[in-house]
Amino acid sequence: MSSKKFNLHQEMVQLDGRSTPAAAFLKSSARYLDQNQGYRPIMLSDDSKPFGAGYSHADILRASGPKSKNTGLLETGTSAKLERKPTYTDLDDDWDASLDGDVMSLGIKPVTSSSSAQSVTSYNSTSPPLITSSQASSIAQSEPVHSPHADLYTFSRRSSPGVGSLKPQYDRIVKDPANSLHMIYQPDVSSIIDASPAEVELLNARIARINKFKRVLQSSNVDISALRNLAWSGIPDELRPMSWQLLLGYLPSNTDRRVSTLARKRKEYSDGVRQAFGLSMSGVGNMSANSGIDQAVWHQISIDVPRTNPHLKLYSYESTQRALERILYVWAIRHPASGYVQGINDLVTPFFQVFLSAYVDADVESYDPGRLPKDVLDVVEADTFWCLTKLLDGIQDNYIFAQPGIQRQVAALKDLTQRIDAALARHLQQENVEFIQFSFRWMNCLLMREVSVKNTIRMWDTYMAEGSTGFSEFHLYVCAAFLVKWSAQIQTMDFQEIMMFLQSLPTQDWGEKDIELLLSEAYMWQSLFKNATAHLRPGGPS
């Protein structure tokens, strides 16, 4: 075996179906050991930031200007400097738990395997492969051995996937998402021979986190309560499609029912599309020419879909837009009490993006779904439809006539703000700012026009973990925390400045840490005020 040492900034690893420089992966979730508080996340120097999603008043497109090929990453040959700073409040002890209880750090030796496409050097252990710096250093000199757990704990260095490539054995994932649990690629351990202890630790932390989810998801009868507890602090990208489907109740928790249930639900959606449009799910044509469709509903959908997430390439492709049109139209005609309402087009996109990621080795936000085989695109579309339906079932009074659900939430947000930040509430009243003027959109679109799709996806991990009230009750507290966050700035503004500020908030550079801080604050307010109805009534006790 070659003793070549690998450069962390040149080696590519597979993460969430895409090829990523190893250094970037290692920096993305580093943690350090604090003697008093245990393992805590490390803040890292990284200029690569997600941009806020939004249009209408909040249109903020990706900044232009010269960018290096490795924007946001350390250049080759530089050292990774880990900056230790305080981070958000951790409300779930998963990240702080001792790793020793999860896995045993045994010797890891390489296994050399080959396929018709390429030879792959893999590393397996008889337990989840936590490693030490010294073990990583000795791996290159080890002799090949075989492990009985190669399918579960394999570290593979794969070549960068071509644009539009499908994940291995994607057809098995189509049949049952649980098959993806055996196809999670981790970095080649040989790529961290020169890594610092902190970098080794972050990899171990990620492995431990994934294994916690896998222990729950691989059960013959998934414990949804345990899955919620894990999901509150965020779901690993590779496990999110299956986890979301379970948390929403679309995917049966019992393994024996999954294949038949998915096949039945997907066929039901396919039949609904054919009935509505008289064409196949992936058929493309002038649907508006079909005299059988509701022209008013179709007209509004056909206007809104091209405006959806215009800053992301994924949503500019015809294949994406046609899929979203079908999903929204079929949902509207199946729910005549509400029909299609502007804003629902935003809510469909996190599902489409997450479920698409289950099948492709590419950057999902720039991927053209038209490259997918028809049966795979049909599955992504059907699963998106049913999970959107599950979400909207819990907040449907937000979209019926007069939208009473949103009206109640706006009133509750005003009362809650008076309790949390009386000075802010007083200033808004003095400037004649009505909560309905800025927070209606927050409730209607679940803050999707205020933060990026990636950040929305992270928020929804927690919303789904909250259960049936996550998108209604818990969202109210998130909106309260979101408003109070800007209190100091708002109190220096007049009416016009306030309205302009709240319509285009400075969230362009928000990352996962900012979202988790927001969720933590929302949890605090919920703990203080939930079920304390007097606090949510005007004139209640001080």
Side-chain angles (χ1 to χ4, degrees):
M1 179 179 178
S2 172
S3 60
K4 173 185 175 183
K5 294 186 177 180
F6 295 90
N7 188 309
L8 286 174
H9 307 285
Q10 294 176 339
E11 283 300 302
M12 305 299 288
V13 300
Q14 295 298 312
L15 179 62
D16 191 25
R18 67 190 71 174
S19 184
T20 305
F25 166 76
L26 292 173
K27 291 198 302 175
S28 66
S29 57
R31 305 194 304 159
Y32 70 93
L33 177 62
D34 185 299
Q35 297 301 324
N36 298 318
Q37 300 184 39
Y39 291 100
R40 308 297 298 168
I42 293 177
M43 294 289 293
L44 298 157
S45 300
D46 189 344
D47 295 327
S48 179
K49 305 286 187 181
F51 281 71
Y55 53 87
S56 183
H57 294 72
D59 261 342
I60 306 171
L61 305 184
R62 193 171 299 276
S64 60
K67 297 180 181 179
S68 66
K69 183 169 62 177
N70 294 320
T71 298
L73 304 179
L74 295 176
E75 295 296 328
T76 302
T78 61
S79 59
K81 297 180 180 179
L82 304 181
E83 180 183 358
R84 300 183 179 185
K85 294 182 179 179
T87 62
Y88 64 92
T89 302
D90 188 357
L91 299 173
D92 188 308
D93 62 359
D94 289 330
W95 287 99
D96 298 335
S98 169
L99 299 177
D100 295 336
D102 296 309
V103 289
M104 296 176 60
S105 189
L106 300 180
I108 306 171
K109 296 188 177 183
V111 176
T112 302
S113 60
S114 61
S115 66
S116 58
Q118 62 177 3
S119 295
V120 179
T121 302
S122 305
Y123 298 87
N124 303 302
S125 72
T126 54
S127 68
L130 292 187
I131 63 173
T132 65
S133 297
S134 60
Q135 286 173 329
S137 179
S138 65
I139 286 171
Q141 309 302 326
S142 303
E143 291 300 322
V145 296
H146 291 282
S147 164
H149 297 289
D151 59 331
L152 296 179
Y153 305 108
T154 301
F155 288 69
S156 304
R157 173 155 41 90
R158 293 157 43 82
S159 59
S160 300
V163 175
S165 62
L166 285 164
K167 288 185 177 179
Q169 299 178 313
Y170 69 90
D171 52 334
R172 293 179 56 196
I173 304 175
V174 166
K175 184 177 181 181
D176 183 354
N179 287 318
S180 66
L181 299 177
H182 304 288
M183 304 175 195
I184 297 175
Y185 293 96
Q186 301 287 0
D188 182 347
V189 292
S190 64
S191 69
I192 62 171
I193 290 176
D194 296 327
S196 68
E199 291 173 324
V200 173
E201 175 54 35
L202 76 90
L203 180 56
N204 286 339
R206 176 170 169 74
I207 295 168
R209 180 73 171 162
I210 288 176
N211 286 337
K212 285 183 179 183
F213 273 88
K214 288 177 69 174
R215 280 195 291 273
V216 173
L217 296 174
Q218 287 176 325
S219 171
S220 59
N221 213 350
V222 175
D223 184 341
I224 300 299
S225 178
L227 181 58
R228 284 177 180 160
N229 289 337
L230 287 173
W232 209 102
S233 296
I235 303 173
D237 293 342
E238 305 93 327
L239 303 174
R240 185 173 284 121
M242 180 181 179
S243 297
W244 275 21
Q245 292 176 12
L246 284 164
L247 290 169
L248 286 168
Y250 169 58
L251 188 67
S253 58
N254 186 292
T255 56
D256 294 336
R257 297 175 48 223
R258 283 183 191 155
V259 173
S260 60
T261 299
L262 286 177
R264 174 173 55 82
K265 298 299 286 184
R266 290 163 176 172
K267 182 178 185 302
E268 184 179 341
Y269 174 70
S270 176
D271 292 343
V273 170
R274 279 190 287 271
Q275 183 177 2
F277 298 114
L279 43 77
S280 66
M281 289 175 62
S282 296
V284 177
N286 183 11
M287 295 182 187
S288 60
N290 187 330
S291 59
I293 73 170
D294 185 317
Q295 293 294 332
V297 172
W298 177 254
H299 176 71
Q300 189 60 57
I301 291 173
S302 65
I303 291 174
D304 288 347
V305 165
R307 298 174 178 172
T308 304
N309 297 330
H311 55 293
L312 297 180
K313 194 172 182 181
L314 168 64
Y315 300 98
S316 69
Y317 291 115
E318 182 181 22
S319 55
T320 302
Q321 294 185 5
R322 298 295 82 77
L324 298 189
E325 287 170 350
R326 289 188 290 268
I327 291 167
L328 293 170
Y329 183 78
V330 173
W331 186 89
I333 62 175
R334 288 173 64 106
H335 296 81
S338 58
Y340 173 74
V341 176
Q342 285 181 294
I344 298 178
N345 57 303
D346 291 301
L347 306 187
V348 74
T349 57
F351 293 120
F352 190 81
Q353 197 162 310
V354 166
F355 297 151
L356 180 63
S357 72
Y359 301 102
V360 298
D361 273 333
D363 178 0
V364 174
E365 290 191 341
S366 61
Y367 180 79
D368 180 3
R371 295 175 177 271
L372 292 173
K374 177 183 178 299
D375 60 331
V376 178
L377 180 56
D378 289 352
V379 164
V380 171
E381 187 176 324
D383 292 349
T384 297
F385 169 82
W386 287 115
C387 287
L388 174 70
T389 300
K390 291 285 188 179
L391 184 160
L392 294 176
D393 283 349
I395 56 173
Q396 191 164 351
D397 60 350
N398 285 10
Y399 303 104
I400 61 177
F401 178 75
Q403 298 181 269
I406 291 179
Q407 301 289 344
R408 287 194 301 269
Q409 284 187 306
V410 170
L413 177 62
K414 180 178 180 180
D415 295 336
L416 187 56
T417 303
Q418 290 172 342
R419 295 297 170 184
I420 296 173
D421 192 335
L424 173 60
R426 195 161 45 244
H427 181 73
L428 292 173
Q429 184 176 16
Q430 290 170 351
E431 294 297 327
N432 296 315
V433 176
E434 296 292 338
F435 275 71
I436 194 73
Q437 293 172 316
F438 63 87
S439 64
F440 182 91
R441 190 173 75 182
W442 296 4
M443 307 303 176
N444 191 59
C445 303
L446 298 179
L447 288 176
M448 282 202 63
R449 298 190 190 178
E450 279 60 49
V451 299
S452 70
V453 178
K454 285 183 178 179
N455 287 336
T456 296
I457 288 170
R458 171 60 192 90
M459 287 174 63
W460 285 18
D461 289 345
T462 299
Y463 282 16
M464 292 183 198
E466 282 286 315
S468 59
T469 62
F471 290 92
S472 52
E473 291 182 12
F474 187 70
H475 179 68
L476 169 64
Y477 294 97
V478 171
C479 289
F482 190 64
L483 176 61
V484 171
K485 179 179 181 63
W486 317 106
S487 177
Q489 296 100 306
I490 291 172
Q491 291 185 57
T492 66
M493 301 175 181
D494 60 20
F495 174 86
Q496 184 175 355
E497 291 170 333
I498 291 171
M499 293 308 300
M500 291 180 64
F501 179 73
L502 290 176
Q503 290 290 343
S504 186
L505 288 161
T507 58
Q508 300 95 319
D509 62 347
W510 273 29
E512 188 169 314
K513 173 181 174 292
D514 300 283
I515 293 299
E516 289 174 334
L517 177 60
L518 183 69
L519 294 169
S520 297
E521 292 173 345
Y523 181 83
M524 177 180 66
W525 299 128
Q526 183 185 58
S527 299
L528 289 172
F529 294 108
K530 187 176 182 180
N531 299 324
T533 55
H535 289 279
L536 293 178
R537 289 201 307 265
S542 299

